[in-house]
Amino acid sequence: QTPVPDREMASQPIIGGWARAVIKKVQNISPSVKTLELQVPKQIAFHPGQWVDFKIPEIEKLGGYSITSTPMQLRDEGILELAVKRSRYPPAEWIHSVAKEGSVVYVKPGGDFGLINPTAKHNIFIAGGIGITPVVSMIRFLRDLGVVGSSSKKGTASASSSASSSSSS
């Protein structure tokens, strides 16, 4: 079991798999979902479709949020992007009411969900609601590889995504 970071670990970039992250941007993308852009050490790694354990130093409970950015964005910019739906769960509540540019949190990638074969000729993605977030990372990754998109190196593939959000709470 790896230790959960605390304030004494604040000066070290990665401890026991936990990476220190600084919030660079908080953005409302719908009435119930915010994205967080985190500056993280480029030494961490993840695969499209994975999530992170999310630790806020002053909150005991951990959050778990899907990554919407790509490994290329992490490599090139040191940025990890998450999408978080509003809820009463303490980490999500903190993100929606307290999180701001400069706040320090800790993240640790995990999970087994992801692309089986990113160079496959065809990929089908099915998701709904906040469940779209890991798929966003996968589609962006395929775009970065040139497998999908209007500038596709393959020439015939294209991708478009639209997500609608409805809240029943």
Side-chain angles (χ1 to χ4, degrees), residues 49-111:
Q50 286 188 298
W51 45 268
V52 293
D53 282 332
F54 189 90
K55 173 66 180 151
I56 303 152
E58 57 269 18
I59 295 179
E60 185 177 321
K61 294 185 185 258
L62 296 178
Y65 305 110
S66 292
I67 301 167
T68 57
S69 53
T70 67
M72 289 78 148
Q73 189 176 5
L74 174 61
R75 178 196 66 210
D76 296 344
E77 304 168 37
I79 296 294
L80 193 71
E81 185 182 270
L82 310 175
V84 180
K85 185 174 181 176
R86 178 184 304 277
S87 79
R88 295 178 118 168
Y89 190 67
E93 199 169 81
W94 181 89
I95 289 165
H96 280 267
S97 62
V98 178
K100 64 183 183 296
E101 186 177 316
S103 297
V104 174
V105 297
Y106 295 87
V107 295
K108 182 165 86 169

Side-chain angles (χ1 to χ4, degrees), residues 113-151:
F113 186 56
L115 291 168
I116 295 169
N117 180 0
T119 58
K121 186 174 180 179
H122 301 284
N123 289 287
I124 298 173
F125 300 96
I126 300 172
I130 197 66
I132 192 80
T133 54
V135 173
V136 169
S137 179
M138 292 179 206
I139 292 171
R140 288 176 173 174
F141 178 70
L142 293 172
R143 178 205 59 207
D144 288 354
L145 290 177
V147 175
V148 298
S150 58
S151 62

